[in-house]
Amino acid sequence: MLRIHFTPADLARVRINDSADPLWEILLSLHLLQAATGSQTFGHWRKTARAELDASAGLLTMLAPPHGYSADFLTPPSDGQTLLGGIERLCGTAKPVLHRDLSRLAVERRLPSWAGELARGEATMMHRLGAALRQYHQVALAPYWPAVTATVRLDRQSRGETLLGGGLDALFSTLHSSVRWRAPVLEVDYPVEQDLHLGGRGLRLIPSFFCWGHAITLEDPEQPPVLVYPVTRVDNWAWSLRDRPAGSASLGTLLGRTRAQLLDTIATTPSLTTTELAKLLHISLAGASQHASVLRNAGLITTERRAGAAYHRLSAGGSALLDTSLAQPRLAPRQPR
């Protein structure tokens, strides 16, 4: 059992993430990828992801096994982090933390030779890890990100209404079936015995689409306290049926393949910089800037400059174009004779 101990000061510092956390969703989806649980909800996604992921995913599954300890550094503390911002922060993890987490992981499983390079924070290995995370997200999560974020936001809205109507007692009591509020302690059904003393730091609640079975936290008590819990969702697999490829094909004809991919990427991962777009699409910075300019001039995206960087968002026109492309009728399958 996990026991989270609150002081009066902690009760005033409870916060709920306003969006899905990309690195937590990566971690928890990696757990589901390797397991057989939740087949009604995740079975179709799991089958598709396993078929499409490349060998780089093996690096991630080694660090995040389906059961037991997963390296804490895979989910660095942040408030509303973007995918690439989170990966950048992860790749800047201090060497003592890397060594500690990998030593802890080695207690439960035999690690390959590259784990030593990672524990020493060697640049080549950190770059490889970052690339693996980006590739995994692009293949296993990005096609479904609209469904993930919409579900998380709806859950957060529901929790907010519960909090306003019944206070923290009501929020904690209805958080999840694995969670019980016995003031001043929040009890969570957990595979190990663990006590987390907040000590005035408060608690960040992170609703997660890929969290399954029970809520989860970090093992390191010195990290900013979080509790990641499963969102309320309809348990079916309809969310994992991807209709976007047909729309993307027609957009590619209209805009060109790279611009269509860039528009699609901005739609699924909003507020990206030009540099982040270049990395995600594996194109040059100049190329990303040029394609973004064409889309902006066409009224499909908007660009805001902050602190010397250009941040791109989908415009109403871009959203309408994507919706139209996805709504295009498909040819009916040929009936057998």
Side-chain angles (χ1 to χ4, degrees):
M1 180 179 292
L2 167 66
R3 290 169 289 272
I4 304 176
H5 302 264
F6 287 77
T7 67
D10 294 309
L11 295 174
R13 296 187 176 97
V14 174
R15 303 170 302 285
I16 306 176
N17 251 35
D18 60 1
S19 61
D21 186 301
L23 292 187
W24 273 106
E25 297 297 350
I26 286 176
L27 174 72
L28 294 168
S29 66
L30 282 165
H31 292 170
L32 285 169
L33 183 75
Q34 302 170 77
T37 55
S39 58
Q40 182 179 1
T41 304
F42 296 105
H44 186 270
W45 166 83
R46 183 184 292 126
K47 180 180 179 180
T48 303
R50 285 174 175 172
E52 296 181 353
L53 287 167
D54 62 22
S56 67
L59 188 156
L60 304 179
T61 55
M62 181 60 65
L63 298 173
H67 306 291
Y69 176 74
S70 292
D72 276 351
F73 71 81
L74 291 174
T75 51
S78 183
D79 183 2
Q81 65 188 359
T82 64
L83 170 66
L84 295 183
I87 291 175
E88 183 178 355
R89 188 164 187 169
L90 185 158
C91 290
T93 303
K95 294 178 184 179
V97 175
L98 293 171
H99 185 272
R100 180 202 63 199
D101 288 0
L102 288 164
S103 296
R104 170 68 181 84
L105 186 62
V107 172
E108 298 188 6
R109 62 186 332 194
R110 185 176 180 179
L111 299 180
S113 58
W114 54 254
E117 301 172 31
L118 187 60
R120 293 188 295 272
E122 295 185 11
T124 301
M125 193 63 221
M126 300 306 295
H127 177 78
R128 180 181 165 193
L129 175 60
L133 289 163
R134 291 192 297 271
Q135 173 69 10
Y136 178 86
H137 187 276
Q138 183 177 10
V139 172
L141 295 188
Y144 315 98
W145 202 245
V148 171
T149 54
T151 305
V152 166
R153 286 170 182 163
L154 283 174
D155 185 90
R156 184 182 189 273
Q157 180 180 349
S158 175
R159 304 297 177 187
E161 293 172 355
T162 299
L163 178 62
L164 290 173
L168 282 172
D169 282 349
L171 175 66
F172 287 153
S173 298
T174 60
L175 199 61
H176 190 255
S177 58
S178 67
V179 178
R180 293 170 298 280
W181 175 236
R182 305 184 191 278
V185 178
L186 193 64
E187 297 180 346
V188 182
D189 294 336
Y190 218 58
V192 297
E193 291 292 321
Q194 185 173 341
D195 284 274
L196 175 57
H197 294 270
L198 301 179
R201 295 174 295 170
L203 180 68
R204 177 173 293 280
L205 299 171
I206 302 178
S208 169
F209 190 89
F210 284 94
C211 190
W212 183 259
H214 61 79
I216 188 172
T217 191
L218 298 165
E219 185 174 85
D220 182 5
E222 300 303 316
Q223 292 288 336
V226 299
L227 183 68
V228 186
Y229 67 90
V231 295
T232 300
R233 70 170 80 78
V234 177
D235 281 331
N236 58 46
W237 42 261
W239 64 271
S240 65
L241 296 179
R242 296 180 299 178
D243 292 327
R244 190 167 295 276
S248 295
S250 60
L251 279 180
T253 303
L254 177 65
L255 302 174
R257 181 182 178 187
T258 301
R259 286 174 194 159
Q261 288 179 332
L262 191 144
L263 186 66
D264 201 47
T265 300
I266 293 174
T268 56
T269 313
S271 197
L272 287 169
T273 67
T274 308
T275 300
E276 291 170 335
L277 283 170
K279 289 180 179 178
L280 283 172
L281 297 180
H282 305 289
I283 59 178
S284 70
L285 181 59
S289 179
Q290 180 183 14
H291 290 309
S293 294
V294 172
L295 294 177
R296 182 171 58 254
N297 292 336
L300 301 179
I301 66 172
T302 61
T303 301
E304 177 187 359
R305 291 199 170 273
R306 299 197 306 267
Y311 290 82
H312 307 288
R313 287 181 176 275
L314 197 67
S315 69
S319 180
L321 181 62
L322 284 174
D323 290 343
T324 300
S325 73
L326 293 179
Q328 289 181 348
R330 296 171 183 269
L331 294 174
R334 180 177 295 175
Q335 299 297 322
R337 294 181 180 179

